[in-house]
Amino acid sequence: MRIPSTAGAQIIERSRFFEAPWCVAAVVTIALAGCAGGPAQKKSAANGQEKLSPAVAALYTRLADDEKRYFAARDPATFKNDETAATASYEWAWNDAQDAAALCAKTHGCDTTKFDAAFARMSGQVAATPGGEEATTPEATTTAGEASAVAAAVPEIGRTVTLLKGRELSEVMTLNGPVKVALEEWLTSLRPNLMDTYENYQYLRSLMWPEYEKAKLPEAILFGIMAKESGGRVHAYSRSGAAGLLQFMPATGQRFGLNYEDGFDQRYDPQLAARANAAYLNEQLAQLNNNLEMVIAAYNGGEGRMQRLARSAPDAGFWDPEIFSQLPPETRDYVPVVLAAAWLYLHPEKYNLQFPKIDGRLGTLVLQKKASLAELAVCLGDAGSAHDGWFRALRNLNAAIDPRDPQPASTPLRVPQQLVGLYEKNCIRGAWGAVASDLHQAVLSTPAPTAVVSATRRAPPPPPPVAKARKAAPTYVVRRGETLSSIARKFGCNNAQELAKANGIKAWDVGKVHPGRVLQVGVCTQ
């Protein structure tokens, strides 16, 4: 598993506003011990190698073929020779690899980290070495050669921090050099990110914390991971395809029940993401002898690597050279930064830190007239306790709604409780509702044809530039948050299926059209 952190990586959100970077029904008990990381396979007595089942071997072969086809199609010479065929070829390979990843998540003994590593290579974040076992994350490649204050502070030997079920984290966590260096970073240069994460989390807490409580995990770890991965932004999306508050890669998300429902990527669902994250941590705690530091390292650097290191040095702690020195720089930074954020969540008073008082109670706002989330954010302003306005909270709590699309009257929205009364005052009886509507209509009448953002189904990287004349054609580039249905309405198509057919989109993928894709809309404009 590889879930890149947001430090040093570009994060894109599925909203119409670009923000600075910073990753539900009954309770499901996920028991996948022996299936994660290193697959539970029988070893051949002859050579000690893992013996793959026919189904797993077929999936690995399919992935290797897809990756080979992908890179062959993206070769500049091939692309220049026949751009249309090359584009179709690499898009087919990309999508087929994603389908194979979905099957891998459901196949016993299949290692989903191989698929995550392949996607990282294909998206250009690591060296293109098809079939390679390990991949380097964006952070490791962009900060190569830079000294890390956190990593430099590691002692030669440090105490292992273990998570004991039923005990408070503060009872078992040890503050060593790396964690103290990370504490200073959170309290200085990263302080705004810490405060934003806290505020965002308080509005999401009633949805996420119960999942950790059921799993008997400390809430502070949930906060620490969120602070490092996404800053509490539900629609955070990394360049390598990790998505959501807790930055799940597609294959790993599917392995823990985060799928696509009616075109919505459940990695963006706060409650389901917290449930999947808790299931992952508990699975790895069982695999790694309840060593919390190693589990957090596995979340970032891959459980396969951590399990191999643990087997190679069974008596070593995380900070021991036998373990720590074998980790990539990103993971050596990641663990103390997560632990430091968790510690500050528990003990802000010890560091002259005061988190804002947030009323995180949730309520239901029923629209009295048609309005979008963006309009509500404008007319609500900064009333109440939101110094940065309410757009982030509205967006986080209604993740499946396009913030630009007007919702009909009587639509229920999940909002902070205090907004229920403020809505009546500011958006219905006051003048701000008319102002918000006027601004929003002006925005909608000015299409922006080149926005490229994240997708419910991860889009392949754009093709290499080719100096080639193109014939003018009625096309449209999908904008952030748009669906095929909304585009069909915009250009006068009778329905989304008509537009899908014209663009070769399969019926079951109608809800998954990705931002940045160029659509032929002539069938609508004729």
Side-chain angles (χ1 to χ4, degrees):
M1 173 178 176
R2 186 168 301 282
I3 307 183
S5 65
T6 60
Q10 295 180 357
I11 295 297
I12 306 174
E13 299 202 35
R14 295 182 62 230
S15 73
R16 56 200 277 261
F17 299 98
F18 176 79
E19 300 195 27
W22 256 89
C23 237
V24 182
V27 177
V28 178
T29 303
I30 304 177
L32 296 174
C35 179
Q41 302 284 357
K42 295 182 179 179
K43 290 189 176 181
S44 168
N47 55 21
Q49 298 297 314
E50 292 180 345
K51 184 178 181 181
L52 302 176
S53 69
V56 172
L59 285 172
Y60 290 168
T61 300
R62 180 176 172 184
L63 175 64
D65 290 343
D66 286 337
E67 194 171 358
K68 182 178 180 181
R69 177 171 179 171
Y70 179 89
F71 284 111
R74 286 183 65 83
D75 180 85
T78 303
F79 199 87
K80 186 174 182 179
N81 184 52
D82 191 340
E83 178 181 352
T84 301
T87 300
S89 182
Y90 84 70
E91 286 186 348
W92 185 93
W94 180 276
N95 291 329
D96 189 67
Q98 289 207 351
D99 292 338
L103 288 176
C104 177
K106 301 175 183 178
T107 304
H108 177 70
C110 187
D111 186 359
T112 57
T113 63
K114 293 183 181 295
F115 289 83
D116 288 339
F119 287 129
R121 288 191 294 270
M122 288 191 284
S123 50
Q125 304 306 313
V126 297
T129 54
E133 183 175 351
E134 299 294 347
T136 303
T137 60
E139 291 72 29
T141 58
T142 56
T143 60
E146 296 179 8
S148 165
V150 175
V154 64
E156 184 174 347
I157 296 179
R159 274 186 57 189
T160 298
V161 179
T162 55
L163 176 65
L164 303 179
K165 299 297 183 68
R167 294 183 62 187
E168 292 292 335
L169 183 65
S170 57
E171 295 178 19
V172 295
M173 181 175 165
T174 300
L175 296 181
N176 58 12
V179 176
K180 288 182 178 179
V181 170
L183 283 170
E184 185 183 51
E185 290 185 354
W186 280 122
L187 293 168
T188 54
S189 61
L190 299 181
R191 193 185 190 101
N193 303 88
L194 183 71
M195 305 304 282
D196 284 346
T197 302
Y198 182 87
E199 183 171 346
N200 291 334
Y201 175 60
Q202 291 309 300
Y203 294 121
L204 297 166
R205 186 174 185 268
S206 63
L207 303 176
M208 302 181 74
W209 161 233
E211 301 299 331
Y212 252 55
E213 187 175 34
K214 293 169 189 173
K216 298 181 180 180
L217 293 172
E219 179 181 22
I221 294 300
L222 172 63
F223 177 80
I225 293 174
M226 183 189 304
K228 177 61 173 168
E229 294 287 7
S230 68
R233 293 171 173 83
V234 166
H235 295 86
Y237 189 89
S238 80
R239 293 174 298 167
S240 60
L245 286 165
L246 301 169
Q247 291 290 280
F248 275 96
M249 291 291 282
T252 309
Q254 289 171 345
R255 178 175 139 210
F256 286 94
L258 302 178
N259 300 303
Y260 296 96
E261 293 292 339
D262 298 325
F264 176 63
D265 188 339
Q266 291 179 333
R267 291 179 296 168
Y268 297 115
D269 186 297
Q271 184 175 11
L272 294 182
R275 181 181 302 171
N277 174 268
Y280 179 90
L281 294 190
N282 270 335
E283 176 193 89
Q284 292 307 306
L285 283 167
Q287 295 282 339
L288 295 167
N289 196 29
N290 280 342
N291 188 306
L292 178 61
E293 291 158 329
M294 288 193 180
V295 170
I296 295 173
Y299 194 80
N300 172 260
E303 65 264 24
R305 171 189 279 132
M306 292 311 302
Q307 288 169 12
R308 288 193 297 275
L309 289 175
R311 288 194 298 267
S312 67
D315 297 326
F318 174 80
W319 303 107
D320 292 342
E322 299 94 317
I323 301 294
F324 191 82
S325 64
Q326 301 301 311
L327 298 172
E330 179 201 348
T331 304
R332 295 202 297 266
D333 283 353
Y334 183 89
V335 174
V337 168
V338 169
L339 292 174
W343 187 256
L344 288 172
Y345 185 79
L346 291 173
H347 304 292
E349 71 285 349
K350 294 183 179 180
Y351 301 93
N352 196 25
L353 174 66
Q354 185 173 354
F355 286 122
K357 294 182 179 180
I358 303 293
D359 182 358
R361 293 174 300 167
L362 299 184
T364 300
L365 187 158
V366 180
L367 293 178
Q368 297 184 31
K369 63 179 183 179
K370 182 174 69 173
S372 66
L373 296 181
E375 290 175 81
L376 294 179
V378 173
C379 65
L380 288 168
D382 58 3
S385 59
H387 63 282
D388 288 331
W390 291 105
F391 181 75
R392 169 56 48 204
L394 292 171
R395 191 80 176 94
N396 279 358
L397 292 170
N398 300 276
I401 295 179
D402 185 329
R404 295 170 302 166
D405 279 356
Q407 304 301 309
S410 301
T411 298
L413 299 175
R414 186 158 50 192
V415 300
Q417 179 64 44
Q418 57 185 299
L419 294 190
V420 177
L422 289 174
Y423 168 71
E424 176 73 26
K425 176 183 176 182
N426 282 32
C427 302
I428 299 301
R429 290 188 283 108
W432 298 121
V435 172
S437 178
D438 178 64
L439 293 177
H440 193 65
Q441 292 300 320
V443 170
L444 290 178
S445 66
T446 308
T450 57
V452 179
V453 294
S454 63
T456 52
R457 177 163 185 158
R458 204 162 30 123
V466 177
K468 183 178 179 181
R470 297 174 181 268
K471 294 181 179 180
T475 60
Y476 180 74
V477 179
V478 181
R479 300 167 61 191
R480 62 185 76 175
E482 288 186 318
T483 65
L484 208 61
S485 296
S486 66
I487 297 171
R489 291 194 300 270
K490 178 179 294 187
F491 287 96
C493 265
N494 294 326
N495 51 57
Q497 284 71 27
E498 185 178 359
L499 189 57
K501 183 177 180 181
N503 286 275
I505 300 174
K506 299 176 181 178
W508 50 87
D509 281 341
V510 166
K512 302 176 184 177
V513 59
H514 60 78
R517 176 166 182 166
V518 179
L519 297 178
Q520 299 292 330
V521 294
V523 65
C524 297
T525 58
Q526 288 176 355

